[in-house]
Amino acid sequence: MSIDKVISQAVAKAVGQLYGIQADPSTINPQATRKEFEGNLTVMVFPYVKAAHKAPEAVGNEIGAWLVENEPAVSAFNVVKGFLNISITPTYWNSVLAAIETDPHYGFKAVTDESPLVMVEYSSPNTNKPLHLGHLRNILLGSSLSNILAACGNKVVKTNIVNDRGIHICKSMLAWKKFFDGATPESSGKKGDHLVGDCYVSFDKHYKAEVKELMEKGMSEDEAKEASPLMQEAHAMLRLWEEGDPEVRALWNMMNTWVYDGFDQTYNRMGVGFDKIYYESQTYLDGKAKVLEGLDKGLLYRREDGSVWADLHNEGLDEKLLLRSDGTSVYMTQDIGTAKQRFDDYKIDKMIYVVGNEQNYHFQVLSILLDRLGFSWGKDLVHFSYGMVELPEGKMKSREGTVVDADDLMADMVNTAREVSQELGKLDGLSEEEISEIAETVGLGALKYFLLKVDPRKNMTFNPRESIDFNGNTGPFIQYTYARIRSVLRRAHEQGLDKADYTAVEPNEREISLIQALGDYPGIVAEAGRAYSPALIANYTYDLVKQYNQFYHDCSILREENPAVRSLRLALSDATARTVKSAMGLLGINVPERM
């Protein structure tokens, strides 16, 4: 049992005996004592003042005295106003450390048959362009959140919805037919998703040229956009696709196959995957059917041009288009169909959509519409809304080809990791195979950590060079500390330093602080799951590593002559390494054994 729970239960028992208060231990949340005060954990006593009919200081002193008398883990206390600062018996920390050492799943809650089923949707790419930096933040947040929710005892299904149909797809298809002379990934030497992305950029370039030419002939911008022959052809292609035209469908299948091969290569290098992939081309018809059913029931309405809309004024919103006048569907229609299929496929207790904050309105409307169309779970869906990621030079634009490609960025990060590591002498004496493996681990770890350490709800700026720094709050700093600890443990094994009983050793201040930090891990994992925040895991790990480095600086380990003290410090090192590896694993980050 964690020291926090020990104290929570003891305080609950104390107020029961002292004041007749039936306190739930789960409502008592000890916090680390502030550094300017003496103690390890602090409990607020204000909730018990009224029942005790005494001043806060008196209540704190009575509870503290009861704890010293009745709870072996408590050695002393002091009271500051309504705050009870509790000192833990020094040798008790050794039992906390021993419990951490012997728990192979430390920090994690077991999944049982009764565990809730949580589905997490992330990635959600379009098949008209490769994955880019914005996708990376989405994918890493979704994958890490899935890991954290599983660690919190949930059954987790990781899903992806591929937007493989629509006008944007037809733009790439039309551009390939007109401007790419039958190019293939093999003939062009490009990954399939990159080739199709080039087609999308090409369409936009030619479209803008048409619009400019029409405006020069006297049309307004809106008139020119509507009259553009290229755009009209793209819409005609979309209608043919929806009608099942064999030629259009064959082109669509071929180009999508190129893209899926490219996506898979990117996902594999990132170390992410999915339990189930849905495709808009297979879900939008279910969405259209539900919309038409809602229309028949009077839940929606049709305008004179034939388009179908939802009136949301009663919900404080406006109106939402669900089917265009030509019968084609929109994203909202697809999401309705996908939601129906998911709940048909799985007994989902919670559905989480990992989508940027630019789509807040979309998911507000989706929740309302699902509820209106008879899906009882619609109002309970969770939109994990995260901020956008930009580069120091500003926003990225897919149509203009100014996005930062995910494949290029990962390659650049790995190359930069190799260069920086060599400059710092961290690769000396290693084979080329080891160097390549470490560069891959550090480069991708730096990228992932930098994108995950920021509060997901905030916009952020990604600076590649800054993320590779081996000092400060970075992935490489944490990875290097882990490798250092593993080196210490290897040397201890090589020197035949046998383990000794450390239970009677009285830990010093640095050792207690580190054990207490390790003891916080289960609570951090639980809070990260409640708050949907991988950043809590990232920053906890950084703080833990900082504490270990201070301990490593101040406390001799291998040269310590007292076997019991040395064993305590080796146990601390081992527990820290395992916790760092576990936490970084939740973020999808590997840690190198040597560096």
Side-chain angles (χ1 to χ4, degrees):
M1 185 185 302
S2 71
I3 188 62
D4 289 13
K5 286 187 177 181
V6 170
I7 297 304
S8 296
Q9 291 184 5
V11 170
K13 191 172 181 180
V15 298
Q17 291 190 13
L18 292 170
Y19 312 119
I21 299 172
Q22 299 301 311
D24 181 353
S26 67
T27 65
I28 302 171
N29 300 305
Q31 302 294 317
T33 302
R34 290 166 58 179
K35 292 182 179 179
E36 60 265 35
F37 300 114
E38 184 179 350
N40 304 114
L41 294 171
T42 298
V43 174
M44 287 195 303
V45 300
F46 296 109
Y48 319 117
V49 168
K50 186 175 180 181
H53 302 294
K54 295 180 180 180
E57 291 85 348
V59 172
N61 278 300
E62 288 181 349
I63 295 174
W66 189 98
L67 292 174
V68 170
E69 181 69 24
N70 296 280
E71 175 50 61
V74 178
S75 61
F77 73 93
N78 65 86
V79 179
V80 180
K81 297 183 179 179
F83 297 91
L84 170 61
N85 300 320
I86 300 166
S87 296
I88 304 301
T89 305
T91 52
Y92 186 85
W93 289 109
N94 297 336
S95 64
V96 174
L97 176 59
I100 294 171
E101 266 208 295
T102 55
D103 185 351
H105 306 292
Y106 178 63
F108 292 7
K109 186 177 178 182
V111 176
T112 67
D113 291 340
E114 288 72 42
S115 294
L117 177 62
V118 180
M119 180 175 281
V120 184
E121 175 196 292
Y122 56 98
S123 188
S124 310
N126 296 330
T127 57
N128 64 318
K129 55 191 176 184
L131 302 172
H132 55 63
L133 176 56
H135 288 116
L136 283 178
R137 191 178 195 196
N138 176 294
I139 294 166
L140 295 175
L141 283 170
S143 181
S144 178
L145 179 61
S146 299
N147 295 338
I148 292 166
L149 291 172
C152 291
N154 299 284
K155 299 172 186 173
V156 177
V157 177
K158 297 176 283 188
T159 69
N160 185 1
I161 173 68
V162 178
N163 298 298
D164 63 341
R165 59 164 294 281
I167 190 63
H168 51 293
I169 309 298
C170 290
K171 289 177 182 179
S172 290
M173 291 163 59
L174 186 59
W176 182 85
K177 285 186 67 175
K178 284 181 168 293
F179 313 123
F180 280 75
D181 195 28
T184 67
E186 291 76 19
S187 69
S188 64
K190 289 194 170 187
K191 281 179 74 217
D193 51 338
H194 289 209
L195 174 58
V196 175
D198 290 345
C199 295
Y200 185 63
V201 172
S202 176
F203 177 95
D204 191 63
K205 176 184 174 183
H206 286 86
Y207 168 63
K208 284 181 176 177
E210 283 188 350
V211 170
K212 181 180 179 183
E213 184 178 343
L214 292 170
M215 289 175 66
E216 288 172 350
K217 292 180 179 179
M219 287 187 181
S220 68
E221 184 176 356
D222 288 343
E223 290 172 336
K225 286 180 176 179
E226 190 171 336
S228 160
L230 200 59
M231 188 62 78
Q232 289 180 353
E233 279 191 81
H235 279 287
M237 181 177 277
L238 177 59
R239 287 191 292 273
L240 288 171
W241 185 93
E242 297 217 357
E243 292 166 4
D245 180 84
E247 183 181 340
V248 172
R249 286 292 182 112
L251 175 60
W252 172 76
N253 275 317
M254 179 181 73
M255 294 181 71
N256 274 353
T257 298
W258 297 345
V259 173
Y260 299 147
D261 289 343
F263 284 172
D264 285 345
Q265 292 177 47
T266 306
Y267 289 141
N268 288 338
R269 188 169 195 184
M270 290 175 65
V272 301
F274 307 93
D275 300 309
K276 176 79 172 180
I277 297 180
Y278 291 87
Y279 299 89
E280 183 183 349
S281 59
Q282 298 169 8
T283 66
Y284 83 103
L285 289 177
D286 275 356
K288 288 180 72 171
K290 291 303 295 184
V291 167
L292 293 174
E293 181 184 313
L295 182 66
D296 291 340
K297 292 180 178 179
L299 303 173
L300 309 170
Y301 75 95
R302 191 186 294 275
R303 289 186 179 176
E304 290 183 2
D305 65 357
S307 58
V308 178
W309 295 72
D311 185 347
L312 304 173
H313 286 103
N314 287 342
E315 285 82 7
L317 303 173
D318 49 14
E319 297 173 317
K320 180 63 183 176
L321 173 68
L322 296 177
L323 289 176
R324 299 186 184 93
S325 58
D326 62 2
T328 57
S329 59
V330 297
Y331 275 126
M332 188 65 69
T333 318
Q334 163 241 298
D335 277 346
I336 292 170
T338 307
K340 177 185 180 301
Q341 285 194 15
R342 285 171 171 162
F343 279 83
D344 287 345
D345 292 342
Y346 297 92
K347 294 180 179 179
I348 302 171
D349 295 296
K350 183 177 291 185
M351 179 70 220
I352 301 174
Y353 295 87
V354 180
V355 183
N357 56 20
E358 293 176 337
Q359 296 296 321
N360 286 352
Y361 173 78
H362 176 92
F363 284 95
Q364 184 182 5
V365 172
L366 177 62
S367 178
I368 293 169
L369 290 177
L370 288 172
D371 187 51
R372 182 182 294 187
L373 292 171
F375 298 111
S376 60
W377 35 261
K379 58 189 175 185
D380 295 324
L381 68 83
V382 176
H383 173 208
F384 176 27
S385 173
Y386 65 88
M388 296 296 101
V389 56
E390 299 176 3
L391 292 168
E393 53 268 28
K395 288 188 176 181
M396 303 173 288
K397 297 180 181 178
S398 297
R399 292 190 187 96
E400 298 176 10
T402 60
V403 299
V404 177
D405 179 81
D407 296 311
D408 292 343
L409 179 57
M410 287 193 288
D412 288 345
M413 292 294 293
V414 171
N415 289 335
T416 302
R418 175 186 282 254
E419 292 170 6
V420 173
S421 299
Q422 285 178 330
E423 289 170 7
L424 297 174
K426 297 187 182 299
L427 304 177
D428 295 348
L430 299 179
S431 68
E432 177 56 35
E433 183 180 353
E434 289 174 319
I435 290 172
S436 296
E437 183 178 340
I438 289 173
E440 184 83 7
T441 299
V442 173
L444 297 186
L447 172 64
K448 292 178 180 181
Y449 187 85
F450 202 94
L451 291 175
L452 291 173
K453 73 176 182 179
V454 177
D455 181 340
R457 290 156 186 80
K458 294 181 179 178
N459 291 345
M460 66 171 295
T461 299
F462 176 68
N463 187 319
R465 189 77 186 185
E466 183 181 324
S467 71
I468 295 286
D469 195 342
F470 277 84
N471 295 297
N473 191 2
T474 67
F477 174 68
I478 295 170
Q479 290 172 316
Y480 178 62
T481 301
Y482 174 83
R484 166 189 276 177
I485 300 173
R486 295 300 302 156
S487 175
V488 170
L489 296 173
R490 277 195 304 274
R491 281 185 284 151
H493 177 71
E494 291 165 0
Q495 293 173 25
L497 301 177
D498 297 327
K499 287 187 176 180
D501 181 9
Y502 58 78
T503 55
V505 173
E506 187 167 311
N508 63 32
E509 184 179 341
R510 288 284 180 221
E511 292 159 345
I512 289 174
S513 179
L514 187 52
I515 297 171
Q516 188 167 358
L518 290 167
D520 290 340
Y521 183 52
I524 294 293
V525 173
E527 180 57 28
R530 284 191 294 269
Y532 304 144
S533 181
L536 292 177
I537 300 290
N539 290 290
Y540 163 80
T541 310
Y542 171 59
D543 290 338
L544 177 64
V545 161
K546 280 199 303 181
Q547 286 215 43
Y548 181 84
N549 282 327
Q550 192 63 57
F551 155 78
Y552 181 83
H553 179 269
D554 293 347
C555 303
S556 176
I557 301 177
L558 299 181
R559 294 182 181 179
E560 171 58 49
E561 295 182 359
N562 185 319
V565 173
R566 185 175 62 233
S567 287
L568 170 67
R569 293 174 182 175
L570 286 171
L572 254 177
S573 298
D574 181 59
T576 301
R578 290 196 298 110
T579 303
V580 168
K581 186 173 185 176
S582 171
M584 293 291 268
L586 291 178
L587 303 178
I589 299 173
N590 294 325
V591 284
E593 294 296 308
R594 300 175 185 274
M595 200 167 168

